[in-house]
Amino acid sequence: MNTAWVVQAGEVEAVERPALWLLADASHTGGVLGANRLHLEAGEPGTKPHYHARSAEAFYVLDGALRMLIDTEVVTVGRGGYVVVPAGVRHAFAAAPDRPADVLVTLVPGVERFGYFRRLPEILRGELSEDEVARIHEQYDVHFVDGPDWDAD
């Protein structure tokens, strides 16, 4: 990549439910990183336990608190907290029960993921077949795994 990627606030693509702003995809950064901003209302789920085989994911809590499962540990990360989840490590997240979460999420190295986020509302509404959802998850390196230690909470 020989040029900078700049996206102004008014140009950022937004996805509803969960509230997600798509900041940079791998194609914007020469594969260096991907980034998005996520907002969850108090107690709102983010995602079930999963891992990414091809990239690490970093979470910077801009405001509020993010409750996370990292491997087998559940932690709550408050404003200004930072978590790096290496590739292959099971994780899940939600807003804390009593506070919303506003989070900057960075993916390194960058993997094309905007297509996944664009399909996420359909997936969450149950509008796609199980086979199609499995294909989408494989394509975008999102691998869901058992999480009874998260589901029970």
Side-chain angles (χ1 to χ4, degrees), residues 22-102:
L22 308 180
L23 302 174
D25 215 356
S27 59
H28 301 127
T29 66
V32 173
L33 62 83
N36 60 71
R37 183 174 175 181
L38 171 69
H39 178 83
L40 299 169
E41 293 299 328
E44 183 178 0
T47 186
K48 294 180 179 183
H50 67 285
Y51 69 92
H52 308 288
R54 299 189 311 257
S55 59
E57 205 166 21
F59 300 80
Y60 178 73
V61 181
L62 299 165
D63 202 9
L66 189 67
R67 191 168 162 272
M68 296 188 74
L69 170 70
I70 305 167
D71 194 19
T72 61
E73 183 180 3
V74 176
V75 298
T76 298
V77 183
R79 181 179 181 191
Y82 188 65
V83 176
V84 177
V85 180
V89 173
R90 181 178 75 133
H91 60 287
F93 53 86
D98 59 340
R99 291 180 279 173
D102 190 10

Side-chain angles (χ1 to χ4, degrees), residues 65-148:
L66 189 67
R67 191 168 162 272
M68 296 188 74
L69 170 70
I70 305 167
D71 194 19
T72 61
E73 183 180 3
V74 176
V75 298
T76 298
V77 183
R79 181 179 181 191
Y82 188 65
V83 176
V84 177
V85 180
V89 173
R90 181 178 75 133
H91 60 287
F93 53 86
D98 59 340
R99 291 180 279 173
D102 190 10
V103 184
L104 177 65
V105 183
T106 307
L107 188 69
V108 178
V111 174
E112 289 296 311
R113 185 94 25 96
F114 280 13
Y116 176 72
F117 295 133
R118 291 177 184 125
R119 303 290 311 264
L120 195 52
E122 292 175 279
I123 293 169
L124 294 175
R125 289 191 301 262
E127 296 174 358
L128 303 174
S129 71
E130 286 184 32
D131 287 345
E132 179 66 3
V133 171
R135 186 195 66 73
I136 290 168
H137 286 153
E138 185 64 33
Q139 176 183 355
Y140 292 107
D141 190 31
V142 180
H143 308 280
F144 285 95
V145 293
D146 289 338

